[in-house]
């Protein structure tokens, strides 16, 4: 089964992201707006119990982090994906490192660019038409994230929460 680890922003930011995702993201119905902290990996029923225990240990030693979104950006020309750029900070980078270095699953395929996708799988024309407008409208949002979520993928391609982990639970 496929799994991933994400942080969900507040409903307020999800609503803003979904305003764009409804029109520009074919994955809109499959997953709530999120920031991935560990990409997709495979595990069976037995392995996932060990993974969940390891995530709990990582969550306990990492602190809640500030999620600050202050601009719209794009991965073009690599892919025509548009996203809310999340500002890196020490807590977020430490959490990502702990979940990706010497941790279950493969090492990340790409360098970590914390973000919340608002549009993807666009044609070059669609991308070029909307990126300027979205950058002008912009985004400015800050909140504290105090939990991460282990998700799994259902047969229909949608993602659902397997378990939620509070950050810094022991302290």
């Amino acid at each position: 089964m496929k799994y991933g680890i994400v942080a969900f922003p507040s409903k307020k930011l999800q609503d803003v992201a979904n305003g764009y995702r409804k029109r520009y993201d074919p994955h809109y119905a499959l997953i709530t707006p999120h920031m991935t902290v560990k990409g997709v990996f495979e595990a069976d029923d037995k392995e996932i119990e060990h993974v969940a225990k390891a995530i709990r240990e990582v969550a306990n030693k990492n602190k809640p982090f500030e999620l600050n979104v202050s601009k719209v950006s794009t991965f073009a020309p690599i892919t025509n994906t548009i996203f809310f750029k999340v500002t890196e900070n020490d807590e977020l980078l430490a959490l990502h490192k702990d979940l990706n270095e010497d941790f279950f699953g493969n090492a990340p395929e790409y360098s970590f660019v914390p973000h919340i996708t608002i549009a993807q799988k666009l044609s070059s024309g669609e991308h070029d038409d909307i990126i300027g407008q979205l950058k002008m409208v912009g985004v400015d949002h800050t909140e504290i994230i105090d939990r991460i979520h282990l998700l799994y993928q259902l047969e229909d391609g949608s993602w659902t929460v397997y378990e939620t982990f509070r950050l810094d639970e022991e302290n």
Side-chain angles (χ1 to χ4, degrees):
M1 191 172 284
K2 289 183 179 177
Y3 293 88
I5 304 170
V6 305
F8 289 123
S10 64
K11 181 172 179 352
K12 179 181 175 187
L13 187 58
Q14 286 186 27
D15 287 348
V16 173
N18 276 334
Y20 298 111
R21 292 182 70 229
K22 277 183 211 170
R23 288 176 284 177
Y24 303 122
D25 185 354
H27 295 170
Y28 168 75
L30 302 177
I31 190 164
T32 313
H34 64 281
M35 180 189 67
T36 301
V37 287
K38 180 166 182 64
V40 176
F41 61 93
E42 300 259 348
D44 63 29
D45 291 346
K46 191 109 178 116
E47 290 169 322
I48 202 60
E49 292 174 25
H50 297 293
V51 172
K53 183 174 186 267
I55 296 169
R56 195 169 302 106
E57 290 168 7
V58 167
N60 285 341
K61 77 174 205 171
N62 279 272
K63 295 182 176 356
F65 61 89
E66 183 177 87
L67 180 98
N68 174 259
V69 177
S70 59
K71 71 184 224 178
V72 174
S73 194
T74 178
F75 288 127
I78 289 89
T79 70
N80 289 333
T81 299
I82 300 171
F83 56 88
F84 292 155
K85 173 91 174 89
V86 174
T87 305
E88 292 180 358
N89 59 57
D90 292 344
E91 293 81 13
L92 174 56
L93 293 175
L95 176 64
H96 179 267
K97 180 180 177 188
D98 286 349
L99 290 171
N100 287 278
E101 287 185 8
D102 299 322
F103 194 81
F104 192 85
N106 300 328
E109 192 175 340
Y110 305 103
S111 60
F112 184 48
V113 177
H115 68 281
I116 298 168
T117 300
I118 58 171
Q120 62 183 322
K121 302 194 186 303
L122 301 170
S123 70
S124 293
E126 287 174 310
H127 175 274
D128 296 346
D129 283 348
I130 64 171
I131 186 63
Q133 173 193 341
L134 292 176
K135 282 186 172 188
M136 278 193 336
V137 170
V139 62
D140 185 18
H141 178 89
T142 301
E143 65 183 83
I144 299 296
I145 299 291
D146 66 355
R147 61 198 70 204
I148 55 174
H149 311 272
L150 174 61
L151 307 183
Y152 66 99
Q153 191 173 34
L154 300 172
E155 287 181 20
D156 67 0
S158 66
W159 290 84
T160 194
V161 174
Y162 179 88
E163 191 170 339
T164 297
F165 306 89
R166 289 186 61 87
L167 297 170
D168 201 26
E169 207 167 65
E170 292 178 336
N171 300 323

